[in-house]
Amino acid sequence: MMYSFNFKINEKDIFNSTMNYNKSRITYLFDIIFTLAAFIIIIYNLLNKTFSNFNIYYRLLLIFCALLFPVIQPILLYIKSLAHAKKLKDINILMEFNEDSIKLSTNSENTEVLYENVYNFIKYKNMIVVMYDSIHGQIMPERIFIKDGKSIKNEFYEYVASKIRNAREKQKEKNK
């Protein structure tokens, strides 16, 4: 069995990838705690009717702190995604998954990665990401997995994940 996907990356894909990455980091816990603390302080002071006693800068700072991670950060990330997507808009990506490797072709580059050398293979709700090392990877957005009106994402994920597991086991046996 072989899978082949031909697609382009857009700003939504880049934004979703960044949000997925942020949510998977330990700092996301800090973001949640910080936001909750800001909301608790605001609500407590509103209920005690002391919020209006604060100077305008303190009130604005509290509101800014409450909105920083759930509203402001995603807006800034989306703007950054727009800029990054403009650079990628003309790049067509062809990914082929065969028995031994992943072949990646773009307008200017052809690469082959053996399954044993895949750094990480991550399934998110809205995409799959193939990591070639700790920094470089390829976003595979949800939309490319729709074939004849149904998703093949889970089937594809299991296929590639098993190829990676088998290749790594063979590599371990070879190194013994």
Side-chain angles (χ1 to χ4, degrees), residues 45-169:
N45 286 300
L46 284 171
L47 293 174
N48 287 332
K49 300 179 180 165
T50 57
F51 191 76
S52 60
N53 295 342
F54 296 150
N55 71 40
I56 188 72
Y57 298 113
Y58 188 66
R59 283 185 265 172
L60 288 174
L61 180 62
L62 279 173
I63 293 169
F64 176 79
C65 289
L67 297 176
L68 180 61
F69 295 112
V71 177
I72 297 168
Q73 182 185 41
I75 290 170
L76 293 174
L77 290 174
Y78 188 76
I79 292 168
K80 187 176 176 183
S81 298
L82 286 171
H84 191 80
K86 284 181 183 176
K87 296 176 187 173
L88 300 176
K89 73 176 179 157
D90 295 326
I91 297 177
N92 193 50
I93 300 166
L94 174 63
M95 293 185 79
E96 294 177 341
F97 296 80
N98 60 36
E99 289 298 316
D100 302 318
S101 64
I102 302 168
K103 292 181 182 172
L104 175 69
S105 301
T106 62
N107 300 1
S108 61
E109 188 178 326
N110 292 317
T111 305
E112 184 171 5
V113 178
L114 298 174
Y115 287 120
E116 65 195 46
N117 296 328
V118 173
Y119 181 79
N120 204 351
F121 188 62
I122 310 162
K123 181 170 76 169
Y124 292 107
K125 179 181 165 187
N126 53 7
M127 68 180 52
I128 290 178
V129 178
V130 181
M131 296 297 296
Y132 303 118
D133 56 39
S134 62
I135 298 170
H136 302 95
Q138 181 59 58
I139 300 167
M140 300 180 72
E142 181 78 24
R143 70 178 180 278
I144 70 170
F145 299 109
I146 306 300
K147 302 286 185 199
D148 300 323
K150 75 176 217 181
S151 177
I152 62 165
K153 181 175 152 189
N154 291 332
E155 172 189 315
F156 166 75
Y157 181 81
E158 291 303 321
Y159 171 80
V160 176
S162 70
K163 293 291 182 189
I164 293 169
R165 272 192 306 274
N166 292 340
R168 287 178 180 170
E169 288 172 7

Side-chain angles (χ1 to χ4, degrees), residues 165-176:
R165 272 192 306 274
N166 292 340
R168 287 178 180 170
E169 288 172 7
K170 287 179 185 175
Q171 186 67 23
K172 282 182 186 176
E173 288 176 15
K174 205 187 268 187
N175 291 336
K176 284 184 179 180

